[in-house]
Amino acid sequence: MAARVSTIWFLGGADARTELSKYPQPDQTEALNIAMSLYPDKEFESLGPQPLSMAATVSPGYVFVGAYGRVSVVCSSELSTFVPSKLPESWHLSAEGGSTLLISSVPETAQGSFALWENGELRRSFSALPIDIVENLGIPQTWELEFWAGNHPLRYPPGFLPDPQSLPFHPQQFAESANLEWLGFRYTGAPREHELDTTQILLWGFKIHRPGEAPKPAPPAPVPVPEQAPTEIPTPENMPPIHDAPVAKPRGRLARYFGFK
């Protein structure tokens, strides 16, 4: 895995591959609640929805959260840890009966890490550099066997003598295989058949601020009121002239009575 990845997944008894295959929209309110629970003394500036392909490469000062019902994910630079078992308990957000998955990959050091917690108990943790295993706890998963058997060896230039302590695989590729096995997608290369597309999995992005430094939301723009022509008040000067209506002449006996002929 050449990509930078710094993620932790919370599965509340759900199959992540099935849930994510629907490409659900992230819940903004729940995403903010999760961010606030992880950084209780911070304020947040919303950045809107962002694809996982970008969010997983998160830089310090930012956090990306995807909340999709029973499946949630957080991308934070704090998850690029060399020792997954030392991750603070505040990051263990899965409810009872759920699983927590940590996936980390750092290209600059060629580090690859992954960990699995079930019901709050650490079941598997691995972290290594190409020539140094930092942590290797728990019973290896079934999918790991082909790596330990040497089926994915590191490749070196002709004439290069590898360090005798070199692993029989690249730790970043090892971490990506954990991600594929547990979540159904890879970060490198185009999605293969039945693999999820990380550009279609959206998370809600936030910039982290110290208290009082987050920009305030802009007030709503005033609604323009259409101008009306002023109503002219009649005055003696602008009133139209008044003409007396003509009086109809009486006819018949009334005409003779009033002297009309």
Side-chain angles (χ1 to χ4, degrees), residues 27-236:
D27 185 327
Q28 180 183 4
T29 301
E30 182 60 21
L32 180 58
N33 289 337
I34 292 175
M36 293 173 63
S37 69
L38 294 172
Y39 302 94
D41 58 341
K42 302 296 183 181
E43 293 182 354
F44 301 91
E45 175 186 354
S46 176
L47 304 176
Q50 307 290 334
L52 177 60
S53 56
M54 185 279 294
T57 66
V58 59
S59 300
Y62 295 85
V63 64
F64 295 86
V65 183
Y68 324 100
R70 296 185 298 166
V71 174
S72 300
V73 57
V74 177
C75 300
S76 169
S77 60
E78 296 183 35
L79 299 169
S80 296
T81 174
F82 273 106
V83 187
S85 65
K86 301 297 183 182
L87 189 70
E89 289 188 4
S90 59
W91 284 93
H92 298 181
L93 301 180
S94 287
E96 183 177 354
S99 301
T100 300
L101 312 173
L102 171 70
I103 306 291
S104 173
S105 174
V106 183
E108 292 83 356
T109 59
Q111 172 212 348
S113 304
F114 61 84
L116 166 65
W117 290 263
E118 293 179 343
N119 299 322
E121 297 292 332
L122 181 64
R123 299 299 184 188
R124 180 73 174 114
S125 177
F126 179 86
S127 180
L129 303 173
I131 59 172
D132 184 23
I133 294 179
V134 179
E135 181 167 82
N136 186 20
L137 303 176
I139 300 175
Q141 304 282 297
T142 303
W143 61 266
E144 296 183 36
L145 298 180
E146 62 180 44
F147 283 88
W148 293 109
N151 295 339
H152 300 275
L154 287 167
R155 292 180 171 83
Y156 299 94
F160 180 85
L161 294 178
D163 190 294
Q165 296 182 346
S166 296
L167 296 177
F169 51 80
H170 197 295
Q172 287 186 280
Q173 185 182 7
F174 201 28
E176 175 139 84
S177 293
N179 197 95
L180 178 61
E181 177 69 22
W182 290 335
L183 301 169
F185 62 86
R186 296 172 299 116
Y187 287 97
T188 56
R192 299 168 184 162
E193 187 178 6
H194 305 307
E195 291 183 4
L196 303 180
D197 186 348
T198 58
T199 65
Q200 301 301 312
I201 301 174
L202 299 181
L203 289 73
W204 209 272
F206 301 97
K207 185 175 182 180
I208 305 172
H209 293 273
R210 290 184 294 183
E213 293 186 354
K216 303 300 181 184
V223 179
V225 179
E227 296 184 359
Q228 296 181 349
T231 303
E232 187 176 17
I233 301 176
T235 63

Side-chain angles (χ1 to χ4, degrees), residues 249-261:
K249 295 181 180 181
R251 298 179 180 178
R253 288 183 297 175
L254 287 177
R256 291 194 297 273
Y257 178 83
F258 285 102
F260 291 100
K261 295 182 180 180

